[in-house]
Amino acid sequence: MMFDATAARSSHMPQTRAVEIRIHRSIAEIAAPDWDACFPGNPEGHAYLLATERAGIEGFGWRYLTAQEGGRIIAAMPAFLTDYALETTVDNPRLRGIVARIRKSWRRFLVLKLACLGSPCTETGRPGFHPLLDEARRPTLMAQLIAAFEAMAKAEGCALRGLKDMPETELPALRPVIDAAGYAALPGLATAWLDIDFDSEDDYLAQLSARTRKDMRRKLKSRAQVSVEHVTDLAPVLDRYMALYNATRDRSDWQFEALTADYFTAILRDMPGRSFCTLYRVEGRLLAANFFVANEDVLIDKFFCMDAEEGRAYNLYYLSWFNNIAYCLEHGIARYQSGQAYYDNKLRLGSQLTANFMFFRHRNPILQRVLRWVSPLFAIEESAEKSE
């Protein structure tokens, strides 16, 4: 699918070549180096998105937008289509119960067909721009991508359109474009990260408060009872791993996509040297697992899953945290990114937060005003607790 970007150009930014916006149904249609060039330093690149696309995640259709100029991709964004239940982010069991009862008689109550820029399986929805592109052109290209996305959403019959997890660092340049397109903002879940600016575990502990340092040393005494293994093949433990993942997901306050065994196995298979899983066993029994994607600069903690009953006795959440820091130190990785939600522990362990925002627009202006009015009910509350 192609979209003429001429109408979306900004008059105050002259163009020397025509920009063509293309919408692809598979990222396999795009050369990996061309896509990855727009997302330098991001482990969740072409290989990650292709494995995700092929994983058979139920309820999602995948799209990929590229802006091309002179035969070169200069901007890109993933996108997806799904049926979205508005109460997904509601942290109110009573309200969720009311919605569930109504939905027994009215199946699509508060369910809208959604087209969204971003990916449900990446840490943020940051747009990609070629590093040689003049930064002053980025707002214009973003406007063109949004215009093409809007046309696609209309063709797909999606009344609700969104942008998922836009980092606040991108907003000074891009927020005016998003606002001009009629989108309303909601706070999303922030991304937690820790700079590995120390040389050893002792140096890291010295950066923490005395109380936290004492607590961590006490918790780490259980190390002697736990065996730790880094693997790139989950086949021998796949059934147990998926049981841990599904149980952990069921305990979560936010349930959007349900990942499949094919997702985990495909990431490990298709991203050699850039993905792995750490297994935690006690007396041979698998009690926890940590799934990662990485490159030479950043380790992204995608999922930590644990046996809620047995894992706490061995402080496996904290053991995994310190094991991940040790991995970064051993491999010269400068940043450990521990993901979204449950910030209390992450903050006291030295993490910093980068805010993310969601944006939404309904094609019906009356319903858009209604959604703006009720949107605080559906905003994500950032929980401070972590299932340890």
Side-chain angles (χ1 to χ4, degrees), residues 150-163:
E150 285 282 339
M152 179 202 76
K154 181 178 180 181
E156 297 280 359
C158 297
L160 185 65
R161 296 91 189 261
L163 286 79

Side-chain angles (χ1 to χ4, degrees), residues 139-176:
T140 299
L141 286 169
M142 187 68 184
Q144 294 171 358
L145 289 171
I146 291 175
F149 166 73
E150 285 282 339
M152 179 202 76
K154 181 178 180 181
E156 297 280 359
C158 297
L160 185 65
R161 296 91 189 261
L163 286 79
K164 182 179 180 294
D165 291 335
M166 183 73 67
E168 65 175 348
T169 51
E170 301 290 327
L171 293 183
L174 302 182
R175 180 67 183 269

Side-chain angles (χ1 to χ4, degrees), residues 230-235 264-265 267-269 271-273 275-277:
H230 299 308
V231 302
T232 56
D233 182 6
L234 286 173
F264 295 104
T265 56
I267 297 297
L268 294 175
R269 182 190 65 236
M271 297 180 65
S275 62
F276 67 97
C277 186

